[in-house]
Amino acid sequence: MEPSTLHPLREEVPEESEDSSSAFSPSSVPPRPASQNSLQKYSPLDWFGYFDKEDDIVIEGSTNVFHIFEAGSEGPVVFCLHGGGYSGLSFALSASKIKEKARVVAMDLRGHGKSSTENDLDLSIETLCNDVVTVLKTIYGDSPPAIILVGHSMGGSVAVHVAARKVIPNVHGLVVVDVVEGTAMSSLIHMQKILSNRMQFFSSMEKAIEWSVRGGSLRNVESARISVPSTLKFDESKKCYTYRTPLEETESYWKGWYEGLSDKFLSCPMPKLLLLAGTDRLDRALTIGQMQGKFQMLVVRHTGHAIQEDVPEEFASIILNFISRNRIGPHGVMIPALLRPSQT
């Protein structure tokens, strides 16, 4: 649920008070009237004000069912993969903006959200990659529309591996959100401590949402109200909420998420964008690759690890500009009248 639970690229600083707004983008923070009490301020929000529909993708020959959220009806497909401990709903606010010009599909990965598989604890990069490929083929068959793979943190690694396989036709773009191999690999030794130090149990959804903003790492209250409930489950024995995904039990897979990621990213033949929340994160391979113009890089200031949640309007604009500048359309054709391409 919090950035550092997945791959602690940097230490997140908890908000000093519930009214602290220095890390917020004014356009992305919902109104907070003084008369609101805590129960109202942090109450869960439904997804259907942001996505248009949800669906279950049943995988033939197995009991695996993957949950997806969809928005938009025209344009290329922005296929979103969340980070470990998050869910597809972490893209809800962004999807509500992107869908004006493109379609959005956000998938709950294995062991997350509403997806259900034969082994929810198998979060190996090979299994996660196979899941995404299978879901894409089940949805679109052999003739998918133009696809832009967008992956956050662990999901960024999955997106890179899917793109590198070159088994899905019409993948015309790859966007990796706030994950770099070098920093991630060096941070793995701290993961268990970070996981054990986070709050483990919540008496209500409201308390979990409040903690995620005040003591965790999400900056946007509205996004937290949508996404956080999908990362929790009710523990009948303890009569409280706890995490849907037991990340601490998946340590054997962590190294595989990030090892060799930079070279694999650079080897992907489609247009690529690396979106970061800080400037000190490029490892040697990516630094050289950027100097050679092999990918576009943007740094989003004043945000935490979950860029798509903290500043959804800016995130949506970046994705749409990426589509426009690379002339990605339903079948690889430029869509007119998108936002003006950004300068690099």
Side-chain angles (χ1 to χ4, degrees), residues 305-322:
H305 180 46
I307 300 172
Q308 75 278 9
E309 296 209 50
D310 292 346
V311 288
E313 291 189 1
E314 184 172 356
F315 181 84
S317 294
I318 288 169
I319 297 299
L320 291 176
N321 279 326
F322 177 78

Side-chain angles (χ1 to χ4, degrees), residues 281-301:
R281 306 185 182 194
L282 289 192
D283 53 31
R284 185 173 183 273
L286 290 181
T287 300
I288 295 173
Q290 187 197 17
M291 292 173 65
Q292 294 174 337
K294 292 185 177 180
F295 65 94
Q296 179 190 6
M297 187 185 79
L298 291 175
V299 177
V300 182
R301 309 286 183 179

Side-chain angles (χ1 to χ4, degrees), residues 213-230:
V213 176
R214 298 185 64 187
S217 52
L218 295 183
R219 304 285 202 267
N220 189 319
V221 176
E222 183 182 3
S223 186
R225 293 171 68 190
I226 303 165
S227 66
V228 169
S230 64

Side-chain angles (χ1 to χ4, degrees), residues 69-260:
F69 297 91
E70 300 175 83
S73 58
E74 297 181 352
V77 172
V78 179
F79 197 88
C80 300
L81 303 172
H82 60 78
Y86 293 76
S87 80
L89 289 180
S90 68
F91 293 94
L93 264 65
S94 298
S96 69
K97 305 298 181 182
I98 296 172
K99 72 179 184 180
E100 297 172 6
K101 297 292 184 180
R103 288 175 280 177
V104 182
V105 178
M107 173 183 170
D108 285 343
L109 293 170
R110 173 182 296 253
H112 293 76
K114 293 183 180 179
S115 290
S116 174
T117 67
E118 297 165 352
N119 182 2
D120 276 356
L121 287 177
D122 181 5
L123 298 188
S124 67
I125 189 62
E126 293 81 8
T127 296
L128 293 172
C129 184
N130 289 338
D131 289 343
V132 173
V133 168
T134 301
V135 167
L136 284 168
K137 288 186 174 181
T138 301
I139 296 174
Y140 301 114
D142 295 327
S143 300
I147 293 172
I148 302 95
L149 292 174
V150 178
H152 169 234
S153 196
M154 180 194 75
S157 174
V158 178
V160 169
H161 280 77
V162 171
R165 282 194 183 184
K166 304 176 186 176
V167 295
I168 300 297
N170 279 346
V171 175
H172 290 279
L174 173 63
V175 180
V176 174
V177 183
D178 213 41
V179 56
V180 170
E181 176 187 349
T183 312
M185 291 295 291
S186 64
S187 300
L188 291 181
I189 58 173
H190 306 294
M191 286 277 287
Q192 286 291 1
K193 182 178 180 180
I194 291 169
L195 291 173
S196 63
N197 284 343
R198 63 180 178 170
M199 187 170 288
Q200 301 294 321
F201 303 103
F202 306 95
S203 60
S204 67
M205 287 288 192
E206 288 81 4
K207 289 294 185 183
I209 294 167
E210 181 177 9
W211 180 85
S212 74
V213 176
R214 298 185 64 187
S217 52
L218 295 183
R219 304 285 202 267
N220 189 319
V221 176
E222 183 182 3
S223 186
R225 293 171 68 190
I226 303 165
S227 66
V228 169
S230 64
T231 68
L232 304 172
K233 64 179 180 180
F234 189 74
D235 188 321
E236 289 289 351
S237 64
K238 295 181 174 63
K239 301 300 179 184
C240 63
Y241 291 94
T242 188
Y243 299 108
R244 157 77 170 92
T245 309
L247 289 173
E248 66 279 358
E249 298 178 29
T250 65
E251 182 174 5
S252 61
Y253 304 122
W254 297 347
K255 186 177 179 180
W257 295 346
Y258 306 119
E259 192 171 45

